[in-house]
Amino acid sequence: MLDIKLIRENPEYVRKKLKDRNEDDSIILKLQEIDGKRLEIIKKAEVLKEKRNKVSDEIGIMKRNKENADGKIAEMKKVSDEIKSYDEELRKVDEEIEKELYYLPALPDDKVPFGKSADDNVEKIVCGEKLHFDFKVKDHVELGKMLDILDFERGTKISGSGFPLYKGKGATIERALINYMLDTHIANGYKEILPPILVNRASMEAAEKVPKFEEDMYRTVPDDLFAIPTAEVPIINIHRDEIFKQDELPLKYCGFTNCFRREAGSYGKDTKGFLRVHQFNKVELINFCQPENSYEEMEKMVIDARRILDGLKVHYRIIELCTGDIGFSASKCYDIEVWSYAEDKWLEASSVSNCTDFQSRRAKIRYKKILEGGKTKTELVHILNGSGLATSRLMVSILESNQTKDGHIVVPEVLKKYTGFEII
RNA sequence: AGAGAGAUGGCUGAGUGGUUGAAAGCGGCGGUCUUGAAAACCGUUGUAGCCUUACGGUUACCGGGGGUUCGAAUCCCUCUCUCUCUGCCA
């Protein structure tokens, strides 16, 4: 959620940033108007409330002295009615502002490259060896079927398209990958979390997923619980409405969960195998930190995600998303893409975002900043999230790049101690 | 799921219509004392909005929402959650 104060005090800046994102900025004019109205109502109501409080105290004293206070009571009855109507107006205006704020995205950082679409994203670095095969590479769906480790047809029978079924060594290598990632992150200072994967509406709102993306979420009807699209949601909500001490930051969590996305609006796109699925596995990294350190922490998170790929010897690249392509809650975002030899293209496997105070404002996650002279000030933390990483597209790259001419898969070195076998 | 009890500041816990933003204790912070520490003593100690250059003023907040009243932590309705007992269950 954006700060209404920023819109009040610096509307031109906000409008420019929204335009950079290809967003409609006319909403700011509307918000300024409603906000102005809101302040007017507050002022009027507060003058009356002050009067009511004062006179009510006087009435109390008069009653105690057995004096007649009927006149004052009659007068205050009128004042009270007036207050009620102002409060009613205020409620409506608050609701209107809230409604607009729910749909306004985070503002891009000044250093983010300007661009209209994904085509304008900037490639930062390409890593890992790109392999050359002296045979025709098989894609992951074919390999999965041949080796009987992935069964997309039966996954479809059980649930629908986009719900992969892992079997035998396929299930084992998936589990190995998750353990490898978690162990690596834990060794690098992240605390492991295994959170609930159904969350309530308040948690979804605090993480800025709902109402804006409600259509993309799976929702249970009788209880109004949402299947999480990412572990980011429950992990952020661990600290909803809490205030950290400064020395508790940065606070780093990692967590494995299943993730669920309806992918509404992308039917017919990348439907093959793992390329776009409704349920997938992901190890997520979350970092709560002081605002002045967040961009530095972001670079560290990219290193933490890359460590996984370097270990697996995957060919990957990092791109910085341009202003037109960064996600709703992020001020800056890097994507990590792995190379698919069979698809002959890059696949997004991770995304590291600095959401600054966009989520912490809605979630009310703050910390006591220590000022000079030992005084403290409560300030919003910055929240960063990064996948470290999602397994499905990573698995595409792993299966493809470790295949042999006769159709087997060599288990990557770092996973062997987790799988207990070396070849599939 | 049924019956009962409850939800107050960082914590424990008073408070059942009128100087209660809220007693008291603990904790935290600052100070006195001390070579240092502890103890003791003194002081201080919530969040947010609005007005103000500032000092400060003011409003709201006692689980959430609504209501009664001149006035609500206190009365009423409703929701959520916690605890105890019963039932069911991995």
Side-chain angles (χ1 to χ4, degrees):
Chain A
M1 174 169 71
L2 290 181
D3 188 357
I4 187 71
K5 253 190 200 164
L6 181 65
I7 294 170
R8 187 183 303 153
E9 284 159 14
N10 213 338
E12 287 315 312
Y13 175 78
V14 176
R15 286 176 67 183
K16 183 197 172 291
K17 288 290 178 185
L18 288 178
K19 275 190 205 157
D20 285 352
R21 260 187 177 277
N22 299 325
E23 285 281 331
D24 175 20
D25 66 329
S26 64
I27 198 68
I28 297 303
L29 292 173
K30 189 180 166 194
L31 265 173
Q32 281 181 277
E33 190 196 316
I34 308 172
D35 179 54
K37 206 160 98 187
R38 177 173 177 271
L39 294 189
E40 283 303 306
I41 297 168
I42 288 175
K43 271 182 232 168
K44 286 182 194 165
E46 286 198 354
V47 169
L48 291 178
K49 282 179 185 175
E50 187 180 351
K51 185 172 180 188
R52 182 185 66 184
N53 289 346
K54 278 208 180 98
V55 178
S56 289
D57 282 347
E58 287 167 21
I59 291 171
I61 292 165
M62 288 169 79
K63 289 243 175 189
R64 216 176 306 140
N65 295 340
K66 308 249 187 275
E67 293 170 40
N68 184 304
D70 291 353
K72 285 193 171 178
I73 288 176
E75 187 193 348
M76 282 309 104
K77 201 174 173 63
K78 269 185 218 150
V79 170
S80 214
D81 286 343
E82 251 182 288
I83 290 172
K84 233 170 247 177
S85 78
Y86 279 128
D87 278 349
E88 181 58 32
E89 251 183 276
L90 184 62
R91 210 174 306 161
K92 278 185 201 151
V93 169
D94 277 342
E95 219 168 88
E96 255 182 286
I97 292 174
E98 185 83 333
K99 212 172 80 193
E100 299 299 345
L101 286 180
Y102 264 123
Y103 292 91
L104 274 178
L107 305 181
D109 181 61
D110 290 340
K111 291 191 203 74
V112 170
F114 175 81
K116 288 282 177 203
S117 71
D119 298 335
D120 301 318
N121 293 340
V122 178
E123 185 176 275
K124 304 293 277 188
I125 183 173
V126 180
C127 303
E129 194 188 347
K130 184 168 180 181
L131 305 171
H132 295 280
F133 295 88
D134 56 2
F135 56 88
K136 189 174 182 304
V137 293
K138 298 180 179 67
D139 69 33
H140 72 283
V141 176
E142 193 179 351
L143 286 166
K145 194 166 188 170
M146 273 177 50
L147 299 167
D148 197 29
I149 56 171
L150 297 172
D151 193 336
F152 292 101
E153 285 88 351
R154 287 200 176 94
T156 303
K157 174 166 75 178
I158 297 167
S159 301
S161 72
F163 289 90
L165 171 67
Y166 300 73
K167 295 155 72 175
K169 288 182 176 172
T172 306
I173 195 169
E174 174 76 1
R175 182 159 51 83
L177 188 55
I178 292 162
N179 281 330
Y180 158 62
M181 294 195 285
L182 284 172
D183 285 350
T184 305
H185 295 314
I186 291 165
N188 282 291
Y190 290 83
K191 182 190 248 188
E192 184 180 353
I193 300 292
L194 187 62
I197 59 174
L198 291 182
V199 302
N200 58 33
R201 185 171 286 272
S203 291
M204 288 297 267
E205 285 176 349
E208 296 282 0
K209 306 298 179 199
V210 153
K212 169 94 174 170
F213 301 110
E214 185 148 353
E215 290 307 302
D216 291 315
M217 305 300 160
Y218 287 99
R219 194 180 134 221
T220 69
V221 173
D223 301 305
D224 202 32
L225 293 173
F226 292 83
I228 56 169
T230 160
E232 174 196 333
V233 176
I235 294 178
I236 286 176
N237 276 280
I238 292 172
H239 296 293
R240 168 152 51 97
D241 294 319
E242 291 184 10
I243 299 173
F244 292 113
K245 295 190 185 107
Q246 183 172 304
D247 64 12
E248 290 176 299
L249 305 178
L251 181 59
K252 293 150 81 164
Y253 290 121
C254 64
F256 157 73
T257 65
N258 303 296
C259 299
F260 302 89
R261 300 184 182 179
R262 290 187 65 228
E263 300 291 344
S266 56
Y267 296 116
K269 220 163 74 183
D270 294 330
T271 51
K272 183 165 139 192
F274 274 139
L275 297 187
R276 186 172 296 273
V277 286
H278 292 307
Q279 176 178 333
F280 61 97
N281 298 320
K282 181 158 65 71
V283 171
E284 181 75 359
L285 306 176
I286 295 292
N287 184 325
F288 300 89
C289 71
Q290 292 188 62
E292 52 267 45
N293 302 334
S294 68
Y295 285 97
E296 198 180 309
E297 290 295 323
M298 184 180 190
E299 298 300 323
K300 289 189 201 160
M301 284 175 80
V302 173
I303 292 170
D304 292 330
R306 286 179 62 182
R307 204 187 323 268
I308 302 297
L309 296 168
D310 291 336
L312 292 164
K313 298 196 177 353
V314 168
H315 184 53
Y316 68 93
R317 69 168 185 172
I318 295 174
I319 57 173
E320 179 174 0
L321 302 199
C322 70
T323 55
D325 201 33
I326 45 179
F328 180 71
S329 306
S331 288
K332 177 172 174 153
C333 182
Y334 294 115
D335 274 2
I336 302 178
E337 301 179 329
V338 295
W339 181 253
S340 166
Y341 295 91
E343 311 304 323
D344 197 36
K345 66 178 180 188
W346 294 106
L347 304 176
E348 182 188 338
S350 170
S351 163
V352 176
S353 301
N354 186 353
C355 296
T356 68
D357 58 11
F358 190 72
Q359 294 169 314
S360 57
R361 181 169 298 109
R362 177 82 70 188
K364 293 197 176 67
I365 302 175
R366 294 163 292 175
Y367 77 106
K368 291 260 189 215
K369 186 185 179 70
I370 297 169
L371 306 172
E372 279 181 59
K375 292 205 166 177
T376 60
K377 185 185 167 214
T378 310
E379 193 172 73
L380 295 169
V381 299
H382 277 194
I383 301 177
L384 301 101
N385 68 75
S387 2
L389 304 72
T391 63
S392 41
R393 291 172 191 152
L394 178 57
M395 195 58 89
V396 171
S397 177
I398 291 174
L399 296 182
E400 285 178 1
S401 58
N402 290 287
Q403 65 181 293
T404 61
K405 194 168 184 175
D406 57 350
H408 289 279
I409 312 280
V410 178
V411 175
E413 201 57 42
V414 290
L415 296 186
K416 282 180 184 167
K417 70 166 176 175
Y418 294 102
T419 55
F421 52 78
E422 304 200 349
I423 195 153
I424 303 175

